[in-house]
Amino acid sequence: SGGDLQLAPDGSLWYATGEGNTGGTSYVGSGVYRLASPRTGVFAPSDRVGGDELESTTINALRFDGAGRAWAATLRGVWYHDAASASGRWTLAYAPNPQYLPAALAAYSTTQTGFGSGNTDSTTNAAYKNIVNDIAIDPKDARHIVAAIGWRSGDLYNGFYETRDRGVRWMKVNPTGAINPKEIGNVTFAWSADRSKLYRSEEHTS
């Protein structure tokens, strides 16, 4: 099963496995694969990007910041990797509730501000608290990134999370205007043709 397919700035083709939705019966994948020559080549197990960091998860979107990084919106937070190579492991940039991540993933986290004990509550089965649906990268500033995090049935932590330093510090932001932060569910982003406006297709939770 697959979640996304994107061409990178260098012409390589990236394939994200794992069903790209928040259903309880979604099939997980084996990570992300990079095909250096998509016109003539075919994907092979040796094309996997990184190691097993993104094994047995779902990946909703792949995005490239134009400054050397590939970003992945996954069931287990926001991750990034060198966009020009498949070698080297993925780095976990942010998950709002890291205590609900598999213990093995702690080795891939950074020491950034905002990645600490996270939010806590009494929910025991809370894997859905780190679902990242999409990532929007500012076309004028690769350091400015917005992540849409949210479970389809609604949760206290659903919403938009922003970083202005390329993933070092993250903060939840509450949009004003027509967006009700309490109704933000599964979100997909899209830029206008001139890159001046960011649109979002949103599933309301109410």
Side-chain angles (χ1 to χ4, degrees):
S1 57
D4 201 6
L5 190 67
Q6 295 285 339
L7 279 170
D10 65 357
S12 60
L13 183 64
W14 289 56
Y15 172 49
T17 65
E19 206 167 342
N21 62 54
T22 59
T25 58
S26 297
Y27 286 96
V28 296
S30 56
V32 176
Y33 295 79
R34 177 182 180 271
L35 188 58
S37 302
R39 289 183 179 273
T40 58
V42 294
F43 284 105
S46 59
D47 293 320
R48 184 161 78 167
V49 179
D52 61 0
E53 310 84 86
L54 301 185
E55 180 83 39
S56 299
T57 188
T58 63
I59 302 171
N60 297 306
L62 292 172
R63 300 287 180 254
F64 299 92
D65 62 13
R69 278 185 184 174
W71 294 81
T74 81
L75 176 70
R76 296 169 177 165
V78 179
W79 295 71
Y80 66 83
H81 192 276
D82 179 1
S85 173
S87 63
R89 71 184 190 180
W90 288 84
T91 297
L92 177 59
Y94 184 67
N97 294 273
Q99 73 272 20
Y100 294 122
L101 293 173
L105 294 184
Y108 301 102
S109 67
T110 66
T111 56
Q112 65 201 1
T113 301
F115 190 92
S117 59
N119 300 305
T120 59
D121 62 19
S122 59
T123 307
T124 55
N125 184 16
Y128 58 82
K129 291 185 178 293
N130 292 307
I131 296 174
V132 184
N133 300 296
D134 204 355
I135 298 168
I137 301 169
D138 190 333
K140 298 180 180 179
D141 182 3
R143 297 169 58 84
H144 182 207
I145 302 169
V146 178
I149 297 178
W151 184 46
R152 57 187 166 78
S153 294
D155 189 79
L156 174 64
Y157 310 118
N158 283 24
F160 300 120
Y161 292 74
E162 181 183 47
T163 176
R164 291 184 175 273
D165 52 16
R166 214 183 184 198
V168 178
R169 291 177 295 271
W170 294 82
M171 178 180 295
K172 186 176 182 181
V173 292
N174 291 319
T176 58
I179 299 178
N180 183 345
K182 295 181 180 180
E183 296 180 344
I184 296 174
N186 194 333
V187 171
T188 299
F189 291 124
W191 287 101
S192 60
D194 63 0
R195 315 294 280 181
S196 65
K197 293 182 180 179
L198 177 63
Y199 294 90
R200 97 296 183 210
S201 173
E202 177 185 324
E203 174 193 31
H204 283 195
T205 61
S206 61

